[in-house]
């Protein structure tokens, strides 16, 4: 059954859930967020990990003419997927240790619908394939050959994703085959994007080529709903960048949204998310994680392990690149 039909058949249930105030589920010992934001109170806003100015500008273009948050995040992150000078996302992403460029992406909308592709080769826009998975199939995740076959069926074109630059870097890497994380140095700067449209609805997308020179078959946090991205239209949304294994271990983005549900600000929730990771990695300093969150009121926050992570914010008051506070100074 196609997801659209499934959604149609379930529309009464979905409407019922959406109408339920989330505040009702909060325990007495936590301070719930006041669910005062209404469609007209929340102005459009988009945020994304790192200083991806062109991507956030594209998303803002969609939002500022009344486009949906879902269209905004898809169109926004596609800018980085297409940019071959960005060697961590989409076409031009660095390959795995076998020389294959394999892409991971996901997308999630205000109704909680989501789609994801993992280990996708030869397709430059995994986020759009993920959206097709969400809208045209009864599934959430398609992997590898199945995802690629589905993409061709949906009209996506086969492309060589390895560029001259990444091919040369890979050949250089083969000389030592050393695998180590370099903090903030582009072997893990995923783009995660979160938006609220003029109706007050939230969506998010996340896309990456993953860790450079990863094991063949490795999948990170970015396409895992709850880890690299989570959206709850009653509460807020979160996304992650950095070493995906650590984000998966804490189901980071879901954790942050749930912390916001319990009353934490986006900033407090991101700080707690990083602290949970550091508790499992006491004394370890060789990796970076950055979390970014937005709540239903349009308030944003971010936090990271090491200095250097920034996020780009675009709303009616303009746009800026905001540095994150970090666990280590
Ligand atoms: N956060 C991207 C990855 O670990 O693949």
């Amino acid at each position: 059954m196609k997801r659209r039909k499934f959604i149609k058949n379930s529309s009464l249930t979905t409407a019922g859930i959406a109408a339920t105030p989330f505040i009702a589920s909060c325990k007495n010992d936590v301070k719930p967020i006041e669910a005062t934001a209404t469609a007209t109170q929340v102005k459009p806003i988009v945020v994304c990990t790192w200083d991806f100015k062109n991507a956030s500008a594209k998303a803002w273009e969609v939002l500022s003419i009344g486009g949906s948050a879902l269209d905004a995040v898809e169109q926004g992150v596609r800018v980085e997927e297409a940019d071959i000078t960005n060697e961590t996302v989409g076409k031009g992403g660095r390959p795995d240790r076998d020389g294959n460029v394999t892409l991971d992406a996901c997308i999630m909308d205000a109704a909680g619908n989501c789609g994801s592709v993992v280990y996708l080769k030869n397709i430059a826009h995994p986020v759009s394939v993920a959206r097709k998975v969400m809208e045209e199939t009864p599934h959430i995740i398609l992997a590898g050959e199945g995802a690629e076959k589905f993409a061709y069926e949906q009209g996506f074109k086969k492309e060589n994703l390895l560029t001259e630059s990444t091919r040369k870097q890979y050949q250089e890497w083969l000389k030592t085959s050393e695998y180590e994380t370099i903090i903030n140095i582009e072997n893990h700067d995923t783009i995660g994007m979160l938006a609220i449209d003029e109706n007050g609805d939230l969506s998010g997308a996340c896309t990456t080529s993953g860790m450079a020179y990863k094991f063949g078959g490795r999948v990170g946090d970015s396409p895992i709903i709850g880890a690299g991205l989570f959206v709850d239209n009653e509460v807020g949304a979160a996304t992650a960048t950095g070493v995906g294994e650590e984000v998966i271990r804490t189901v980071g983005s879901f954790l942050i949204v749930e912390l916001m549900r319990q009353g934490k600000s986006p900033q407090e929730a991101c700080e707690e998310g990083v602290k949970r990771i550091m508790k499992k990695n006491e004394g370890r300093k060789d990796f970076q994680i950055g979390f970014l969150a937005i709540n239903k009121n349009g308030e944003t926050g971010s936090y990271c392990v090491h200095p250097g992570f920034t996020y780009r914010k675009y709303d009616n008051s303009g746009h800026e690149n905001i540095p994150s506070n970090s666990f280590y100074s």
Side-chain angles (χ1 to χ4, degrees):
M1 180 167 50
K2 282 193 170 190
R3 180 172 303 277
R4 278 178 308 192
K5 287 189 194 136
F6 175 78
I7 290 166
K8 204 172 160 199
N9 292 346
S10 321
S11 60
L12 283 175
T13 319
T14 310
I17 291 168
T20 307
F22 74 88
I23 206 166
S25 66
C26 294
K27 294 237 165 71
N28 292 336
D29 57 346
V30 290
K31 182 181 57 142
I33 300 173
E34 299 220 349
T36 53
T38 65
T40 50
Q41 286 174 317
V42 177
K43 56 187 177 180
I45 179 171
V46 60
V47 288
C48 71
T49 55
W50 305 103
D51 190 15
F52 290 127
K53 191 176 172 181
N54 297 336
S56 52
K58 181 69 196 179
W60 179 251
E61 198 183 301
V62 175
L63 291 172
S64 61
I65 54 166
S68 71
L70 186 65
D71 287 340
V73 294
E74 182 192 7
Q75 292 302 316
V77 302
R78 277 175 63 98
V79 169
E80 293 307 319
E81 289 181 338
D83 180 358
I84 60 168
T85 65
N86 176 344
E87 297 183 333
T88 64
V89 177
K91 186 168 182 170
R94 293 198 188 89
D96 65 17
R97 57 188 52 196
D98 304 319
N100 296 312
V101 182
T102 71
L103 305 180
D104 297 335
C106 73
I107 193 161
M108 188 163 188
D109 74 11
N113 300 308
C114 44
S116 160
V117 288
V118 305
Y119 195 67
L120 179 65
K121 294 183 197 166
N122 301 316
I123 306 285
H125 287 296
V127 73
S128 296
V129 184
R131 184 165 176 179
K132 290 286 186 193
V133 173
M134 176 173 92
E135 292 178 340
E136 303 294 335
T137 82
H139 305 306
I140 289 179
I141 305 177
L142 291 183
E145 279 178 24
E148 193 176 338
K149 181 169 171 278
F150 170 73
Y152 298 139
E153 285 165 6
Q154 293 294 322
F156 290 83
K157 294 201 169 46
K158 183 169 185 164
E159 289 185 53
N160 176 12
L161 304 181
L162 202 62
T163 60
E164 196 46 28
S165 165
T166 52
R167 193 184 57 75
K168 278 190 187 145
Q169 290 174 57
Y170 173 61
Q171 280 169 349
E172 204 46 43
W173 177 80
L174 281 175
K175 291 178 185 165
T176 58
S177 298
E178 269 174 27
Y179 188 61
E180 62 182 78
T181 308
I182 307 166
I183 308 300
N184 293 328
I185 310 288
E186 290 80 33
N187 60 354
H188 51 70
D189 54 357
T190 301
I191 181 165
M193 182 175 277
L194 313 169
I196 303 179
D197 59 29
E198 67 174 23
N199 294 323
D201 285 328
L202 276 151
S203 288
C206 191
T207 178
T208 188
S209 52
M211 307 286 288
Y213 318 127
K214 60 195 174 186
F215 279 70
R218 181 262 187 190
V219 171
D221 61 314
S222 304
I224 308 297
I225 299 296
L229 176 73
F230 195 70
V231 175
D232 184 322
N233 204 43
E234 294 177 343
V235 178
T239 190
T241 181
V243 176
E245 282 72 6
E246 297 307 325
V247 179
I248 292 170
R249 287 173 77 201
T250 52
V251 200
S253 293
F254 180 75
L255 170 67
I256 286 166
V257 171
E258 287 307 299
L259 290 167
M260 291 194 288
R261 187 192 301 280
Q262 291 168 17
K264 289 201 187 303
S265 68
Q267 183 60 36
E268 290 166 340
C270 288
E271 289 181 18
E272 177 62 22
V274 168
K275 283 172 190 161
R276 294 274 179 102
I277 287 176
M278 297 318 294
K279 219 178 252 182
K280 292 179 177 168
N281 288 280
E282 225 166 295
R284 190 177 157 201
K285 290 193 169 176
D286 66 346
F287 70 105
Q288 173 70 305
I289 300 284
F291 282 123
L292 170 62
I294 189 167
N295 68 15
K296 188 73 177 166
N297 299 321
E299 295 158 342
T300 62
S302 72
Y303 200 63
C304 54
V305 177
H306 292 280
F309 172 58
T310 65
Y311 72 96
R312 178 63 61 173
K313 177 172 151 188
Y314 223 122
D315 63 14
N316 275 319
S317 62
H319 55 101
E320 53 186 329
N321 185 40
I322 301 170
S324 276
N325 288 336
S326 54
F327 185 84
Y328 292 118
S329 50

